Amino acid sequence: MTASVFDIFTVGIGPSSSHTVGPMIAAHRFAHRLAQQGWLSRVRQLRVELYGSLGATGRGHGTDKAVLLGLEGQQPDSLDPETVATRLAAIRKSGQLLLLARQPVARETQAPWLHFRRDTLPRHPNGMRFHAFDGAGDAVVADYYAVGGGVVASDDELTLRPAAGATAPPFPFRSGAELVQRCRDAGLSIAQLIYENEQAWRPAAEVVDGVQRIRIVMAETIARGCRIDGELPGPLRVRRRAAALHRKLMSRSEESPRDPLSALDWVNLYAMAVTEENAAGGRVVAAPSNGAAGVVPAVLQYYLKFVPGSSEEGSFNFLLTAAAIGLIYKASTPMSGAELGCQGEVGVACSMAAGALAAVLGGTVGQVEHAAQIGMEHNLGMTCDPMGGLVQNPCIERNAMGAIKAINAARMALCGERQQVVSLDKVIRTMMQTGADMKTKYKEASRGDLTVNVVEC
Ligand code: SF4
């Protein structure tokens, strides 16, 4: 297992790691491929086909805009979300996009340039096919797949999944059992073990800086989400609630006697602030996906605000432990709603946050594994059905529920080191089997439960 913390936590823009971040990266890669093949100045026409779940819910997720920006050379981790509207308006007005910011290509051609298709490429539910044509009718064609968490694979890479680095880490693991055993053998906590592994690929200072950046972006997203009122983009006209809740909680803490459950309101606030920012196309950290981006920051913020003795060192350990649990899932399965339902996004995030919180509350390695197991066990079977293809309903509240569940899972695990009936590895296997049995309409297709019933009502 050679994936890194920075494969689990990736900085990008909302609303979706598979439907926004992934397509932007794929489009950027395709544009670079054209440049490498000496094709940039030859391109007269572009066609992009979005398949499966991308075809079904891509419009609501802003996939079309992400593809345009990616073709222009933008990357999700460096793009300034504030500039997006201006750039898209300029493309609309001129009818041209600038391939890699320099080669003008007519966006509109005789046929629509972007096709949202309901069929699926054979190899993955989130497929994209890019075509570039020159004046003589020759073409460059490439397929890419958004495999979850903002990771993109070409045809070759889908077979040979990309690795974080060529060097083997000192403590490789692919399962919860292996991780626990390696920690016990080496006398290390999970965070210490991950820190050692990361140093196989980058200097210690870079690891610290990278984790610190993740921490800062998470905090900034919460702060921004707590400030902004108004409606989220899209036809559902969903009102943002985090800013109003923040004002209410601030006034309550000044005037009212202490409510013993007020911490829950704050956790809800943190999770909703992040997921509203995500839905609005703002900057978020995928953890492990954009749709589930609110859970880990909400539980981390809970730790910092409500746990006596919390510290920045604790937040560092929290993020490394959460990443370790995410890496166990990543070693077994892509973490996306299109493949597993929401158990593969909010369920995984809940599991990561539960284990991380148990660790910084002083849990043993076994208790951390147990917390992560509880966090997933009670999300098994959770479907993905974003209304209108927008990452808003049920996603925003679902993140808040995932964060609360994670805190409870950590507390349950810390009640004692009991003989576990179900291990983390067994619950992950169950999640994968459940995902495989789940009907396609419950896997990010916007054709199932809430979408259908809310319209009927
Ligand atoms: S329902 Fe869950 S998996 Fe589906 S888009 Fe929303 S957060 Fe992601």
Side-chain angles (χ1 to χ4, degrees):
M1 197 285 301
T2 53
S4 155
V5 169
F6 305 107
D7 294 319
I8 295 295
F9 294 127
T10 52
V11 177
I13 60 162
S16 166
S17 36
S18 296
H19 292 62
T20 318
V21 173
M24 190 184 293
I25 292 171
H28 183 267
R29 284 181 61 174
F30 183 65
H32 269 278
R33 178 169 169 175
L34 293 174
Q36 279 165 358
Q37 294 182 211
W39 256 70
L40 266 196
S41 58
R42 284 176 62 179
V43 179
R44 296 288 171 273
Q45 188 177 338
L46 287 163
R47 190 163 81 226
V48 183
E49 292 163 319
L50 303 167
Y51 289 86
S53 166
L54 293 174
T57 65
R59 279 184 213 282
H61 288 75
T63 308
D64 45 350
K65 298 169 194 152
V67 167
L68 279 177
L69 294 167
L71 289 169
E72 290 215 318
Q74 296 283 359
Q75 300 249 49
D77 62 342
S78 53
L79 170 68
D80 177 357
E82 306 281 339
T83 64
V84 168
T86 311
R87 185 60 211 136
L88 291 173
I91 295 172
R92 246 192 322 273
K93 192 169 172 204
S94 68
Q96 283 189 334
L97 64 88
L98 296 173
L99 257 185
L100 288 186
R102 52 183 193 272
Q103 181 62 38
V105 175
R107 190 180 72 118
E108 300 299 345
T109 53
Q110 290 152 348
W113 77 285
L114 192 68
H115 297 250
F116 291 93
R117 301 179 56 138
R118 283 293 174 132
D119 52 335
T120 306
L121 287 179
R123 302 194 62 198
H124 194 277
N126 281 337
M128 295 161 266
R129 181 162 286 161
F130 290 78
H131 310 250
F133 302 95
D134 68 5
D138 290 331
V140 176
V141 181
D143 290 349
Y144 296 97
Y145 309 90
V147 297
V151 178
V152 168
S154 63
D155 261 321
D156 291 346
E157 291 162 350
L158 204 60
T159 312
L160 305 167
R161 280 286 168 83
T167 315
F171 303 107
F173 61 91
R174 291 188 60 85
S175 66
E178 279 178 17
L179 175 62
V180 168
Q181 198 55 51
R182 289 210 181 269
C183 285
R184 285 179 177 154
D185 291 348
L188 296 173
S189 70
I190 291 174
Q192 287 167 334
L193 181 143
I194 291 292
Y195 186 45
E196 294 294 322
N197 276 0
E198 287 296 321
Q199 290 175 68
W201 305 309
R202 50 186 66 80
E206 266 183 41
V207 180
V208 173
D209 287 352
V211 175
Q212 179 70 358
R213 178 168 185 239
I214 288 162
R215 162 83 193 105
I216 289 169
V217 174
M218 286 179 172
E220 287 173 348
T221 308
I222 290 175
R224 202 174 139 76
C226 287
R227 279 198 310 270
I228 301 179
D229 285 299
E231 281 180 6
L232 293 171
L236 297 179
R237 306 198 62 188
V238 171
R239 286 203 67 74
R240 296 177 70 136
R241 289 180 286 170
L245 178 57
H246 183 241
R247 288 191 292 273
K248 185 173 173 183
L249 294 182
M250 290 302 287
S251 64
R252 189 198 286 173
S253 56
E254 281 161 18
E255 293 164 12
S256 317
R258 190 161 166 70
D259 172 356
L261 292 181
S262 67
L264 299 190
D265 296 332
W266 284 95
V267 175
N268 289 335
L269 169 69
Y270 303 142
M272 289 199 301
V274 173
T275 39
E276 286 179 359
E277 270 301 282
N278 179 60
R283 164 89 56 233
V284 296
V285 178
S289 66
N290 277 38
V295 177
V296 170
V299 178
L300 174 55
Q301 198 65 17
Y302 160 81
Y303 160 73
L304 287 168
K305 185 173 166 80
F306 290 99
V307 174
S310 62
S311 64
E312 276 306 314
E313 186 188 346
S315 70
F316 182 75
N317 292 336
F318 180 103
L319 288 170
L320 291 189
T321 308
I325 295 160
L327 288 169
I328 296 168
Y329 285 91
K330 191 179 173 70
S332 309
T333 179
M335 295 171 286
S336 78
E339 293 205 50
L340 295 165
C342 200
Q343 55 172 358
E345 293 199 15
V346 169
V348 174
C350 176
S351 179
M352 290 164 60
L357 183 62
V360 295
L361 292 178
T364 63
V365 170
Q367 286 170 322
V368 171
E369 187 261 1
H370 187 194
Q373 175 262 316
I374 298 171
M376 172 49 74
E377 186 173 304
H378 304 288
N379 283 295
L380 284 175
M382 190 158 64
T383 61
C384 166
D385 191 32
M387 285 175 60
L390 300 163
V391 192
Q392 299 176 5
N393 244 325
C395 318
I396 294 169
E397 288 177 359
R398 187 164 287 177
N399 273 259
M401 297 302 291
I404 299 289
K405 253 189 219 183
I407 294 169
N408 201 24
R411 295 179 72 90
M412 289 170 83
L414 291 172
C415 285
E417 188 118 33
R418 65 170 176 101
Q419 196 64 37
Q420 273 176 247
V421 176
V422 182
S423 68
L424 175 59
D425 295 332
K426 282 184 184 153
V427 89
I428 291 174
R429 262 201 305 282
T430 308
M431 175 198 72
M432 290 165 61
Q433 287 160 1
T434 307
D437 288 345
M438 204 180 272
K439 286 186 175 177
T440 304
K441 70 177 185 174
Y442 298 122
K443 294 194 273 193
E444 208 159 0
S446 288
R447 281 184 276 153
D449 35 39
L450 280 178
T451 298
V452 173
N453 289 316
V454 172
V455 172
E456 281 176 355
C457 292

